[in-house]
Amino acid sequence: RKEVEQDPGPFNVPEGATVAFNCTYSNSASQSFFWYRQDCRKEPKLLMSVYSSGNEDGRFTAQLNRASQYISLLIRDSKLSDSATYLCVVASGGSYIPTFGRGTSLIVHP
Amino acid sequence: NAGVMQNPRHLVRRRGQEARLRCSPMKGHSHVYWYRQLPEEGLKFMVYLQKENIIDESGMPKERFSAEFPKEGPSILRIQQVVRGDSAAYFCASSGRTSGRANEQFFGPGTRLTVL
C-alpha cells in the first residue's frame, strides 16, 4: 500500500458545483497534514494545513479522520480558477520529511 | 519579493555534462528541501538540508547527485554526468519553523532540466 494515495481523477465539474477529494495515508503515526495546489507546469502552493478539528478557509474545508486514516478537501461554489491538481501531503510524527500524494486533477468548466 | 528563488528556470545539458541548480530560501528560513518531479508523476523527496548540514538525503540517488547548503549563499543541487533520465522539474522548498515536525513548505518556481 502506498504511503499516501489519491484518486488521480480528473474530476470534471461545472462552475458552482461542490466537489470533494479524499486522500488516504498508511502510517498511523502521521501528525502533519496539508493540502497543496499545483497548476500546470508551476510549483506547488500551500492551500491549507489540516487540523484535527477540521478547518475552513472561505470556500475550502479540510477534515481529518484519524480512525480511517484519511483527510478530505471540500470545495464549494467551484470557480474556473479552481482548476488545478490538488496534492495531499502527510508527515509522520517527529519527521521533517513530508510525503506527497500524486495529486487529484480538478477541471471546472463553464 | 522575499519568496523562494531558483535559478536557472530552464537548463539544457548534453549527456555527460554537469548540471548545477541553485536555490535561495525565503528570507528567515533555514530549512531547504529538494524534490524531483517527472512528467505526470508526483513530487519525490530528494534531500533535506539546514545551513552547512545535510539532515536527510534518503531520497537522493547514491551516485552523481550531491547537495549542499553553505553558510553563505544559496543551496546547490549538483548532478554530474547527466543522463536522459535526469530530465525533470527540480523544485526547492523552504521552511522556517522548528517545532519538531514537518511544517508548511514554500516552493520555488523550479528548474526544468532537459538532457539531450
Side-chain angles (χ1 to χ4, degrees):
Chain A
R1 183 180 173 185
K2 292 182 183 174
E3 286 187 66
V4 178
E5 286 199 73
Q6 294 183 253
D7 181 345
F11 284 66
N12 208 318
V13 303
E15 271 186 290
T18 295
V19 62
F21 311 132
N22 279 350
C23 164
T24 57
Y25 59 94
S26 60
N27 189 339
S28 59
S30 298
Q31 287 190 7
S32 302
F33 308 90
F34 309 92
W35 283 103
Y36 281 73
R37 167 197 172 125
Q38 186 174 25
D39 292 280
C40 187
R41 299 185 68 77
K42 298 283 190 179
E43 73 273 23
K45 292 185 178 177
L46 178 66
L47 184 64
M48 57 200 305
S49 301
V50 185
Y51 303 121
S52 296
S53 55
N55 46 302
E56 187 174 307
D57 183 1
R59 297 181 295 108
F60 299 83
T61 300
Q63 292 198 312
L64 167 64
N65 185 317
R66 285 192 186 275
S68 300
Q69 294 185 202
Y70 73 86
I71 65 172
S72 64
L73 178 67
L74 181 78
I75 305 175
R76 289 182 296 278
D77 189 23
S78 299
K79 311 291 185 191
L80 295 176
S81 57
D82 292 335
S83 297
T85 297
Y86 290 84
L87 308 176
C88 168
V89 184
V90 176
S92 301
S95 171
Y96 284 100
I97 311 302
T99 300
F100 282 74
R102 292 184 61 172
T104 297
S105 175
L106 172 65
I107 300 170
V108 181
H109 59 82
Chain B
N1 186 345
V4 179
M5 296 172 59
Q6 286 187 251
N7 68 79
R9 297 288 302 276
H10 300 274
L11 182 61
V12 179
R13 285 288 177 266
R14 296 193 181 278
R15 281 179 296 171
Q17 291 184 319
E18 177 180 288
R20 198 172 280 238
L21 288 60
R22 296 175 199 77
C23 169
S24 295
M26 191 174 283
K27 189 174 182 181
H29 284 187
S30 59
H31 302 251
V32 167
Y33 301 76
W34 284 94
Y35 295 88
R36 177 163 64 177
Q37 188 172 38
L38 294 167
E40 308 304 322
E41 297 274 333
L43 280 165
K44 298 296 183 190
F45 165 76
M46 298 181 75
V47 61
Y48 163 46
L49 310 102
Q50 293 182 23
K51 282 284 187 182
E52 299 185 277
N53 285 307
I54 296 175
I55 307 302
D56 188 320
E57 56 181 347
S58 57
M60 196 93 104
K62 293 288 185 287
E63 297 178 349
R64 304 189 296 108
F65 285 72
S66 62
E68 63 176 5
F69 190 11
K71 188 177 179 181
E72 301 290 338
S75 174
I76 307 285
L77 178 67
R78 184 178 174 211
I79 311 172
Q80 295 178 291
Q81 298 176 329
V82 296
V83 300
R84 288 216 174 109
D86 296 333
S87 297
Y90 292 83
F91 289 101
C92 164
S94 74
S95 175
R97 290 180 287 158
T98 56
S99 65
R101 60 176 190 170
N103 292 298
E104 295 96 337
Q105 297 185 357
F106 297 87
F107 282 79
T111 294
R112 298 191 182 278
L113 172 66
T114 302
V115 179
L116 301 177

